[in-house]
Amino acid sequence: MKYVTEYRDPDQARALIEAIRREAKPDRHYRFMEFCGGHTHVLSRWGLLSILPDNVKMIHGPGCPVCVLPIGRIDMAIDLALHHGAILCTYADTLRVPASRSQSLFQCRAAGGDVRMVYSPMDALEIAKANPDKEVVFFAIGFETTTPPTAVAVKTAQVQGLKNFSVLASHVLTPAAMEHIMLTKPDEEKLRLDGVVGPAHVSTVIGSDPYRPFCEKWRMPVVIAGFEPLDMLEAIRMLIVQVNEGRSEVENEFIRAVTAQGNPIAKALVEEVFELREAFEWRGLGRVPKSALRLREEYRAYDAETRFGLVEQYVPDNRACACGAILRGEKQPQDCKLFGKVCTPSHPIGACMVSSEGACAAYWRYGPQRVKVKEST
């Protein structure tokens, strides 16, 4: 197939749905986690959850980069803008994530902080050039997909000798989170997983090979999928086939963009600029070992945490909000008593309602008539 419309062809979708129904054995249940929030929106937007067989259930994972940001990191960013006088630059969704004391970066701006939305870290670099008398900090978030652009910005700042630019690095790693979910899953049948739909954009950078240790250790298949409805349906079919055959392999449905090795230039750049943190706090997952990056010593002059002496404080989530449990795959958005009542996109209580990749945002946007969740019996 060549065009996007071909990946939305109704006839081919019907054929895939029939194939899924044929492959899914009626005497067993299949539980697959789509790690990426983009895949959650594919399932919701195209109503795929309502057309899967009753014994095939999709579990929403923690693959939303904005959702997994802990409150403590956002508080650090607010502190930079309000108390250190820095111009804080970051991506749009990050501005609306609730932090301590019902604050957000939007409210920080209303309180006098200079907070700016940017489309890339290079925009922040240009702001630093235009404001040589001000400290400019790029609040860098995201998975492996957005890490290479941050590395480019840091290297560029070093080459150009910019002294007023730094990065609050909050980049996190997908394989580490997948491993942590398996290690911390309660031993309950209802939370059992049979396979994972691997992230698409992340895999264009890191490739499919990094998931092989996960498959071998946990004897669980991973199928990397694209972001169109036919991609998702085919990935689910491939997972069912692997489960039926007793295989635990990495398979790549998204062959038009993902290779086994990924993008070697991007990976080399990240390796040069960043190193692993010992541990990092994730919303909903707690402290996850070896799951995030920080700047290497030779680039530490551009590390905002070092430059401003920042210390992250652990801040618990709102106890009434189920975002953490949703990110762990233990609950669905409609299980949260705040969903659609107190918590809406115009007044989000949790990060899952804020992000364009959040599960709660997907369920709100596409509605219960299209997002019908099948419960295993």
Side-chain angles (χ1 to χ4, degrees):
M1 291 188 284
K2 185 177 180 181
Y3 302 105
V4 169
T5 52
E6 297 178 71
Y7 291 91
R8 302 176 181 179
D9 181 80
D11 292 333
Q12 294 199 51
R14 292 188 192 97
L16 278 172
I17 293 163
E18 286 304 313
I20 289 171
R21 289 173 179 163
R22 285 195 306 271
E23 297 287 355
K25 296 181 178 180
D27 59 344
R28 70 156 299 158
H29 296 286
Y30 302 83
R31 295 174 56 84
F32 303 129
M33 175 177 281
E34 83 278 3
F35 187 91
C36 178
H39 286 145
T40 303
H41 277 251
V42 171
L43 288 166
S44 305
R45 177 186 178 187
W46 298 99
L48 303 184
L49 292 171
S50 65
I51 59 178
L52 292 175
D54 288 341
N55 60 336
V56 178
K57 183 174 181 180
M58 301 304 297
I59 310 299
H60 312 316
C64 163
V66 173
C67 300
V68 299
L69 264 180
I71 291 174
R73 301 298 289 185
I74 304 166
D75 283 352
M76 291 168 72
I78 291 173
D79 184 50
L80 283 167
L82 287 183
H83 302 123
H84 293 277
I87 299 175
L88 187 87
C89 303
T90 192
Y91 300 122
D93 282 350
T94 317
L95 300 178
R96 300 178 59 240
V97 179
S100 295
R101 300 175 297 279
S102 300
Q103 292 189 92
S104 68
L105 285 169
F106 259 142
Q107 290 164 326
C108 167
R109 185 161 64 182
D114 194 343
V115 179
R116 307 187 189 185
M117 184 197 80
V118 294
Y119 291 100
S120 83
M122 298 305 290
D123 293 341
L125 210 64
E126 292 303 314
I127 291 170
K129 292 179 187 177
N131 296 270
D133 58 332
K134 297 280 289 185
E135 288 285 346
V136 176
V137 180
F138 176 61
F139 187 13
I141 74 156
F143 292 98
E144 292 91 339
T145 317
T146 56
T147 308
T150 303
V152 170
V154 170
K155 287 200 62 165
T156 303
Q158 186 184 67
V159 169
Q160 295 181 353
L162 279 178
K163 303 298 184 183
N164 65 326
F165 175 80
S166 58
V167 169
L168 179 57
S170 302
H171 288 299
V172 290
L173 304 175
T174 305
M178 291 170 60
E179 174 76 7
H180 189 73
I181 285 174
M182 297 305 299
L183 287 170
T184 57
K185 270 285 180 195
D187 186 20
E188 299 180 32
E189 178 66 16
K190 67 178 182 178
L191 297 176
R192 170 185 55 80
L193 294 179
D194 297 299
V196 175
V197 178
H201 291 150
V202 164
S203 301
T204 64
V205 176
I206 68 174
S208 60
D209 281 348
Y211 306 112
R212 297 190 186 283
F214 174 88
C215 292
E216 293 168 3
K217 177 177 179 179
W218 296 103
R219 297 186 178 277
M220 183 173 296
V222 172
V223 175
I224 299 163
F227 287 115
E228 294 301 326
L230 296 191
D231 288 319
M232 200 67 195
L233 290 171
E234 174 63 4
I236 293 170
R237 188 198 67 80
M238 292 167 71
L239 283 170
I240 291 172
V241 170
Q242 280 210 54
V243 171
N244 290 347
E245 295 177 354
R247 293 188 289 116
S248 305
E249 301 173 5
V250 180
E251 292 186 325
N252 180 17
E253 184 278 334
F254 199 30
I255 57 174
R256 61 189 185 275
V258 173
T259 63
Q261 290 76 36
N263 186 326
I265 296 175
K267 291 196 296 184
L269 186 60
V270 170
E271 178 67 22
E272 177 188 349
V273 175
F274 289 99
E275 65 183 8
L276 274 175
R277 295 178 186 262
E278 285 301 311
F280 191 79
E281 184 75 24
W282 291 54
R283 187 189 298 261
L285 301 186
R287 289 188 68 77
V288 181
K290 310 289 186 182
S291 67
L293 300 172
R294 67 176 183 179
L295 294 176
R296 290 189 180 276
E297 186 63 38
E298 50 267 43
Y299 295 99
R300 201 63 57 80
Y302 299 96
D303 186 341
E305 293 179 64
T306 301
R307 180 176 295 191
F308 297 97
L310 302 177
V311 178
E312 181 181 349
Q313 301 293 326
Y314 170 73
V315 182
D317 291 336
N318 186 317
R319 287 187 294 177
C321 175
C323 185
I326 293 168
L327 292 170
R328 293 190 298 272
E330 296 170 8
K331 289 187 177 182
Q332 302 282 6
Q334 74 273 20
D335 296 330
C336 179
K337 60 185 178 181
L338 304 183
F339 175 76
K341 302 178 182 72
V342 178
C343 184
T344 66
S346 61
H347 186 263
I349 302 299
C352 295
M353 185 62 86
V354 173
S355 171
S356 58
E357 294 188 5
C360 293
Y363 276 51
W364 173 272
R365 180 174 183 181
Y366 299 110
Q369 72 279 5
R370 299 189 68 180
V371 185
K372 180 183 176 185
V373 181
K374 303 283 190 178
E375 294 294 340
S376 295
T377 56

